[in-house]
Amino acid sequence: MFCPAKFCILLFAVKFASGLEFEEFIRWKQVAYESIPDASYLTPDFVFPEYAAVPGDDSYIPYNNVPQGVNHYKGRLFITMPRRSPGVPSTLNYIDLKQTKAGDSPRLKSYPNAEINSLRSTLKPGQKRLISVYRTRLDPCHRLWFVDTGMLEYPNNRTQVQRPSIWIMNLLTDEVISRYEVPESIVVEGRGLVSITPDITKGKCDEAYGYIPDLVQPALHVYSLKDNRMWTFRHNYFYFDPQSGDYNIAGQQFQWRDGIFSITLGDENKEGFRDAYFHPLSSTSEFAVSTKVLRNETNARRPHQGEDFKLLGARGKDMESSVHVYDPHTKVLFYAQIALSGIGCWNTQKRFASQNHHLIHQNLQTMIYPSDITVDMDGTLWAMTNSMPVFIYSKLDTNQYNFRVWRQEAGKAIQGTGCAL
Ligand SMILES: *[C@@H]1O[C@H](CO)[C@@H](O)[C@H](O)[C@H]1NC(C)=O
Ligand SMILES: *[C@@H]1O[C@H](CO)[C@@H](O)[C@H](O)[C@H]1NC(C)=O
């Protein structure tokens, strides 16, 4: 049978996927903020009230607000808005789900408040400020983890306003527990630090580690909360695969060379360690390393990592993934699949082979560029799709929905698919 490769995959997906599709929960044509009145839409550079001293520096340019991360904690849905273009009034935000119903286009509220999120006209650095946050993650100790890259990534004009920093916040009190400035010996600029994966030994909230994939260097940075220190692993498995960096998404053709992009942790073993699954973005390979290796700073200095970093295998053609997440209830890894505009899965109890990877939801119109996927405490998956290649290489149609948050219970999403046991 003749068919172009991509089309064959589509047929395959339609024929075999029978799990419940993800619900298109909320969607925006453009994203608005609770603190900014509607009239501001009429002026291209609305000034965020109260905090901006000089007009223009903290302006709100609706078109430039492209959401990136989504993460749910007890009725609050965290939405991040990295500052990749001017006119983003607030980088870390949330939506109150009690006030939200399916189909809404809710306004964002700053988290924990507007002041922390506001950009000063002088671009003066400040320990109590957030400049740009890509994604947030939760730990079992009711804490929110994220990296502030400290950088304005405006096209052709990147500005490192302040050192990148690792933040841990208490979600019960909304207070900052810890803020750690990433030293210059670890990274010169913050732009590659687009996520952090917390690792907590059961019942020991202070003995926590954070793993940061650095897609630029590429490298894997480890942060120890107890020792308030960082160290860096380097490995050839963190590099992009030159045969996997060509994309054709929503009519845009381009080449990306992003390295290690996502780290997610499997179940804790008897020794108290986990498999850290990771992959570069421009690659279809998946790798793993034990957290026992990562937690030991001495290992980072070894000239050779022996067999400690393992290649699991290749997911298959066009299966490049931005973010993936392990769901402990189903023991399934869920992949945000950028080249296929969909969400895929692999059950970790099955052999890692391309025939055990399945596309469980795909929509070439509405699921353009899944930029984040997380699973909450109840086992519900949340995904963001943000049409980013269209924003970068073409122009978004502001009369259409461009950004969406999807949700589905992990168990239902895989029902009847090859990812169920
Ligand atoms: C670059 O960005 C900085 C800080 O945002 C700004 O002060 C400067 O005017 C910008 N330069 C250009 C050429 O846009
Ligand atoms: C850390 O790794 C080094 C080898 O790089 C090893 O000699 C040492 O025993 C390890 N420490 C722990 C606590 O496992």
Side-chain angles (χ1 to χ4, degrees):
M1 179 177 68
F2 172 81
C3 59
K6 227 170 218 170
F7 193 58
C8 285
I9 288 171
L10 288 184
L11 290 176
F12 188 86
V14 170
K15 197 167 165 203
F16 290 104
S18 59
L20 288 179
E21 294 215 314
F22 280 65
E23 176 195 6
E24 187 183 308
F25 176 48
I26 51 184
R27 54 188 188 166
W28 298 275
K29 293 172 179 169
Q30 306 219 290
V31 181
Y33 295 81
E34 200 149 84
S35 51
I36 298 176
D38 269 342
S40 64
Y41 278 108
L42 304 174
T43 58
D45 55 356
F46 174 78
V47 180
F48 198 62
E50 232 175 318
Y51 306 106
V54 177
D57 284 307
D58 206 6
S59 57
Y60 170 50
I61 303 170
Y63 183 82
N64 284 347
N65 284 258
V66 178
Q68 200 83 223
V70 64
N71 191 9
H72 172 242
Y73 175 80
K74 294 189 176 180
R76 279 184 288 185
L77 194 64
F78 292 96
I79 306 284
T80 48
M81 197 69 78
R83 286 190 163 105
R84 295 171 57 95
S85 295
V88 175
S90 178
T91 186
L92 178 59
N93 310 281
Y94 74 102
I95 293 162
D96 186 346
L97 291 186
K98 283 197 294 292
Q99 302 167 6
T100 311
K101 56 183 193 316
D104 280 356
S105 306
R107 286 166 180 272
L108 304 186
K109 304 173 203 275
S110 295
Y111 187 83
N113 58 49
E115 188 171 2
I116 284 184
N117 278 282
S118 68
L119 200 58
R120 284 187 276 202
S121 55
T122 54
L123 295 186
K124 195 174 149 224
Q127 297 196 349
K128 292 190 175 150
R129 299 285 172 147
L130 294 173
I131 303 300
S132 191
V133 178
Y134 274 84
R135 290 172 186 85
T136 63
R137 293 296 179 255
L138 299 169
D139 74 13
C141 308
H142 305 277
R143 298 181 296 197
L144 188 72
W145 294 57
F146 54 88
V147 177
D148 169 27
T149 67
M151 185 176 238
L152 302 175
E153 284 180 71
Y154 298 167
N156 307 317
N157 186 13
R158 288 200 295 264
T159 307
Q160 188 77 54
V161 176
Q162 57 195 40
R163 289 301 304 156
S165 52
I166 298 168
W167 291 57
I168 304 173
M169 294 195 56
N170 182 338
L171 285 164
L172 304 174
T173 61
D174 299 328
E175 284 164 343
V176 181
I177 293 172
S178 145
R179 177 186 182 275
Y180 173 82
E181 282 198 3
V182 180
E184 245 173 280
S185 57
I186 302 281
V187 291
V188 178
E189 292 186 336
R191 71 193 174 98
L193 314 180
V194 297
S195 67
I196 183 166
T197 304
D199 175 22
I200 284 86
T201 305
K202 213 168 265 162
K204 293 185 184 163
C205 294
D206 294 336
E207 280 179 38
Y209 296 82
Y211 307 121
I212 303 177
D214 180 336
L215 67 98
V216 173
Q217 292 202 36
L220 192 164
H221 308 295
V222 181
Y223 167 66
S224 159
L225 175 63
K226 194 168 87 188
D227 300 329
N228 214 33
R229 272 183 72 76
M230 278 184 90
W231 51 90
T232 297
F233 281 85
R234 293 179 201 281
H235 198 286
N236 289 350
Y237 289 171
F238 302 160
Y239 282 78
F240 77 99
D241 173 357
Q243 297 190 328
S244 294
D246 291 323
Y247 298 93
N248 184 354
I249 301 174
Q252 309 305 314
Q253 286 179 288
F254 54 94
Q255 198 172 60
W256 280 358
R257 41 167 60 199
D258 294 22
I260 181 170
F261 201 89
S262 179
I263 300 169
T264 187
L265 304 180
D267 293 332
E268 202 176 83
N269 63 22
K270 286 194 195 75
E271 264 192 294
F273 300 111
R274 300 164 193 273
D275 281 333
Y277 298 98
F278 69 89
H279 60 245
L281 180 132
S282 286
S283 168
T284 58
S285 297
E286 189 69 26
F287 304 91
V289 59
S290 169
T291 57
K292 182 177 185 175
V293 175
L294 299 179
R295 285 181 176 196
N296 181 340
E297 183 176 352
T298 313
N299 287 339
R301 292 193 291 267
R302 294 185 294 189
H304 191 257
Q305 296 294 342
E307 303 295 310
D308 282 345
F309 288 70
K310 295 180 174 64
L311 169 69
L312 296 181
R315 289 186 289 277
K317 191 171 155 40
D318 293 324
M319 301 280 261
E320 286 93 347
S321 161
S322 54
V323 173
H324 63 341
V325 65
Y326 175 75
D327 169 48
H329 300 95
T330 55
K331 305 201 183 298
V332 169
L333 270 183
F334 290 91
Y335 294 93
Q337 295 201 182
I338 51 178
L340 293 175
S341 301
I343 293 165
C345 61
W346 165 59
N347 191 317
T348 58
Q349 290 165 295
K350 295 191 178 183
R351 198 164 60 86
F352 192 104
S354 62
Q355 65 269 28
N356 287 331
H357 281 76
H358 303 276
L359 192 61
I360 51 174
H361 192 163
Q362 179 182 48
N363 193 309
L364 301 181
Q365 274 76 47
T366 60
M367 272 202 167
I368 300 170
Y369 202 78
S371 56
D372 200 8
I373 183 161
T374 53
V375 63
D376 67 19
M377 289 166 10
D378 307 321
T380 298
L381 294 161
W382 298 82
M384 172 77 77
T385 55
N386 70 4
S387 310
M388 201 166 70
V390 183
F391 179 83
I392 296 176
Y393 299 110
S394 177
K395 202 161 173 15
L396 296 174
D397 177 353
T398 56
N399 295 311
Q400 302 219 346
Y401 290 101
N402 294 300
F403 319 117
R404 292 175 171 84
V405 172
W406 305 82
R407 67 175 178 187
Q408 184 53 277
E409 287 169 39
K412 288 186 179 164
I414 59 166
Q415 245 169 45
T417 74
C419 287
L421 277 185

